[in-house]
Amino acid sequence: MERQIKLIDRTELLVIQATSFCNIDCSYCYLPNRSKSNHFDLRILSSVFENLHQSNLLHGEITILWHCGEPLVLPIDFYKQATAIIQCCSEFYKINIHQSFQTNGMLISQEFCDLIKEIGATIGVSIDGPQFIHDKFRKKRNGTGTFDETYQGIMLLKRNNINFSAIAVVTDNTLDHPSAFYEFFKTLSPTRLGINLDETSGINSSSSFLRGEEKKERFLSFFKSLWILSYEKGDGLLIREFEDMLYRLNLDSTVSFINTLTTPFQHITVDHKGNFSTFCPELMASPNKEFIFGNIDEVLVSEIHLNANFNKVKNDIERGVKQCKQTCDYFELCYGGTPSNKFFENGSFDSTETIDCLYTKKYMADLVIGMLEQQSDLQRYIN
Amino acid sequence: MQSLNKTTSERITSLRNKLQQKRREIGLEQPINIMAFDKFEKGFFNKIVWRDK
């Protein structure tokens, strides 16, 4: 008899917008209000935990990710106060709360390093590659590049023996430079490199990735080079896109899979005013604010099923996933994709293929499957 | 070429079977029962589940 497996409803990731402000102005950024000075009122923080507790979504552990704006523009005291509140909540609700920061790295200070070490937080730095790639899009408001300051921030982390992950946004421009890109990150040695495409999302209305054979071939050539450098030459740089695809391929048919981006409450995003959303954090960046389902001080997260707009979004997402399942050969490697990409690219959650899934799921799967099919010994690809 | 005349689904199934076979050969247990994915730092992670036997 097949075992019945029931998911514990709990929030895994709490994305908190410490501020919508960002000290730089990357041309592909999806976030609105990056020039507005504001900050999250820490009095709301305990309300967030009380709300999730009352909603029966706090169990075991949760990660807070300070993101959606540059978190380090706020003074260190903000995070010291936040940490004191988080420790109280951790004890009161008997949960482990892990803190994580996603930052452009430019404002990393010794004080910040000390705090990171003290609280055991993890840190992800956004850096696009060597300077001639990075500075093309990651610019200050005066138009100058940000590489030097980001690199200095990373060096400070390294001097403090703080591990960091890296996220690089790859654009069409990057595809011509796989070796320089790889060697740079190999030397930088993040714990893991995640590669995002510049995507149509939030207020960023275009991507440098379009449909077409020429772009597909360049994309595949770039990632094939990275694969050869990282796996076949055994250099050891962990690239999220390959690791994750290998994980997907290593799952057999008895393994269930949760796509946390299509399942409500797995991710909760709270903006600096206490407004919250769920599913993809990018939905909070919609200019029309239609995916804000309430304010943390006013509505229990678990009660948003009474909200007609939430139900429409949830039902549309479910229909979109169902369509993917019925029509896409790659469904078992993807489980329905990313709702925010569907909405911002296709105009509806109730839709299927996006440019992002075409490149990062379908082409990536074709590449990895093709590379593995050529291997006589698969042992090193078991994870 | 292995991939000739195979659909994508068939290629995925074939590769998965080979990986599972290899896993058994070297005595590795099956992957955990529920995997979840988020697009930030965690990537893949284990989900805790209740099992009703």
Side-chain angles (χ1 to χ4, degrees):
Chain A
M1 192 177 82
E2 191 176 336
R3 281 182 304 189
Q4 295 295 308
I5 294 175
K6 189 164 66 179
L7 179 70
I8 294 177
D9 275 333
R10 78 170 189 198
T11 299
E12 296 280 349
L13 183 68
L14 176 60
V15 181
I16 300 185
Q17 182 182 52
T19 176
S20 70
F21 181 77
C22 188
N23 53 329
I24 64 174
D25 195 25
C26 305
S27 48
Y28 48 57
C29 185
Y30 64 90
L31 289 167
N33 303 320
R34 302 196 302 276
S35 58
K36 290 187 179 169
S37 180
N38 50 50
H39 68 84
F40 182 83
D41 184 342
L42 283 174
R43 285 176 300 182
I44 304 172
L45 189 53
S46 49
S47 304
V48 173
F49 285 100
E50 177 60 22
N51 192 319
L52 292 178
H53 172 71
Q54 286 192 34
S55 297
N56 202 24
L57 291 167
L58 275 188
H59 300 283
E61 64 181 52
I62 189 169
T63 297
I64 293 178
L65 174 65
W66 300 99
H67 184 39
C68 301
E70 172 49 48
L72 298 195
V73 298
L74 296 184
I76 198 76
D77 279 349
F78 175 88
Y79 295 105
K80 287 181 177 173
Q81 289 172 34
T83 297
I85 295 168
I86 287 166
Q87 284 170 347
C88 285
C89 291
S90 175
E91 288 166 19
F92 189 76
Y93 298 113
K94 297 182 172 52
I95 49 165
N96 292 322
I97 306 174
H98 175 73
Q99 291 190 69
S100 185
F101 293 81
Q102 185 63 41
T103 173
N104 60 41
M106 298 167 65
L107 301 170
I108 292 172
S109 63
Q110 185 55 50
E111 269 190 314
F112 179 71
C113 290
D114 293 341
L115 181 69
I116 287 283
K117 286 199 280 194
E118 183 187 329
I119 65 177
T122 47
I123 181 162
V125 181
S126 301
I127 181 167
D128 286 357
Q131 185 157 19
F132 74 94
I133 295 174
H134 179 98
D135 278 351
K136 195 165 179 67
F137 297 103
R138 298 190 68 83
K139 294 177 186 292
K140 297 177 196 167
R141 290 192 171 78
N142 66 9
T144 57
T146 59
F147 179 87
D148 287 337
E149 284 147 283
T150 296
Y151 192 77
Q152 288 305 316
I154 290 174
M155 291 303 108
L156 189 52
L157 291 176
K158 290 173 89 75
R159 283 199 293 280
N160 280 275
N161 296 315
I162 295 172
N163 290 327
F164 65 97
S165 60
I167 289 182
V169 176
V170 160
T171 69
D172 176 69
N173 176 63
T174 320
L175 300 184
D176 294 329
H177 311 287
S179 297
F181 180 87
Y182 183 87
E183 293 304 329
F184 174 79
F185 282 108
K186 180 73 179 74
T187 305
L188 208 61
S189 63
T191 52
R192 201 163 75 135
L193 169 64
I195 297 177
N196 294 344
L197 303 187
D198 65 322
E199 57 187 29
T200 303
S201 187
I203 62 166
N204 186 38
S205 58
S206 65
S207 164
S208 64
F209 289 89
L210 304 169
R211 292 172 199 276
E213 280 303 306
E214 186 261 344
K215 192 80 78 179
K216 174 184 175 183
E217 290 308 315
R218 294 181 65 229
F219 176 89
L220 288 174
S221 172
F222 176 81
F223 278 95
K224 185 176 179 181
S225 298
L226 298 188
W227 174 276
I228 290 169
L229 289 164
S230 61
Y231 283 97
E232 299 194 357
K233 294 192 175 176
D235 260 358
L237 175 63
L238 289 181
I239 297 177
R240 181 187 65 187
E241 281 50 48
F242 296 148
E243 292 294 300
D244 289 346
M245 191 54 71
L246 285 173
Y247 240 123
R248 290 163 200 259
L249 287 165
N250 267 279
L251 302 178
D252 73 11
S253 57
T254 66
V255 176
S256 302
F257 185 93
I258 303 299
N259 183 341
T260 57
L261 299 172
T262 60
T263 311
F265 311 132
Q266 300 292 302
H267 295 176
I268 299 290
T269 308
V270 182
D271 77 5
H272 67 279
K273 295 176 181 169
N275 299 317
F276 68 86
S277 187
T278 184
F279 305 108
C280 307
E282 290 89 342
L283 294 179
M284 195 62 109
S286 177
N288 297 328
K289 303 184 187 305
E290 66 270 52
F291 306 122
I292 290 173
F293 299 124
N295 187 283
I296 215 78
D297 271 336
E298 296 166 3
V299 183
L300 277 183
V301 170
S302 57
E303 289 181 351
I304 58 173
H305 65 273
L306 301 172
N307 177 320
N309 188 36
F310 167 76
N311 281 318
K312 178 173 182 351
V313 171
K314 179 174 173 286
N315 292 337
D316 282 353
I317 288 174
E318 286 173 355
R319 277 194 291 268
V321 172
K322 192 174 176 186
Q323 277 196 71
C324 287
K325 187 173 186 177
Q326 288 169 343
T327 61
C328 182
D329 270 356
Y330 299 82
F331 180 80
E332 56 190 309
L333 298 179
C334 165
Y335 291 81
T338 308
S340 61
N341 289 123
K342 290 184 177 183
F343 178 80
F344 290 119
E345 282 189 35
N346 301 337
S348 170
F349 296 114
D350 184 6
S351 64
T352 56
E353 186 183 87
T354 64
I355 293 281
D356 192 72
C357 83
L358 183 64
Y359 280 87
T360 65
K361 300 294 188 306
K362 296 184 178 182
Y363 295 164
M364 191 64 70
D366 288 342
L367 172 70
V368 174
I369 291 168
M371 298 307 281
L372 293 193
E373 284 173 344
Q374 294 172 24
Q375 304 297 317
S376 55
D377 185 1
L378 291 173
Q379 186 163 333
R380 65 188 299 194
Y381 302 104
I382 289 175
N383 58 19
Chain B
M1 288 293 289
Q2 225 172 342
S3 60
L4 281 182
N5 303 320
K6 279 188 178 176
T7 65
T8 298
S9 283
E10 288 168 342
R11 290 175 70 197
I12 293 170
T13 302
S14 169
L15 189 53
R16 277 186 160 164
N17 288 340
K18 286 180 185 171
L19 287 163
Q20 291 306 316
Q21 186 185 340
K22 193 73 192 173
R23 188 178 289 278
R24 283 191 294 273
E25 280 172 20
I26 60 177
L28 276 181
E29 292 188 8
Q30 293 293 305
I32 47 180
N33 290 85
I34 294 258
M35 298 297 297
F37 176 77
D38 79 35
K39 64 191 296 187
F40 295 100
E41 183 186 284
K42 280 186 177 178
F44 271 94
F45 61 92
N46 309 352
K47 285 296 290 191
I48 296 172
V49 296
W50 293 113
R51 291 168 196 281
D52 301 329
K53 291 187 179 174

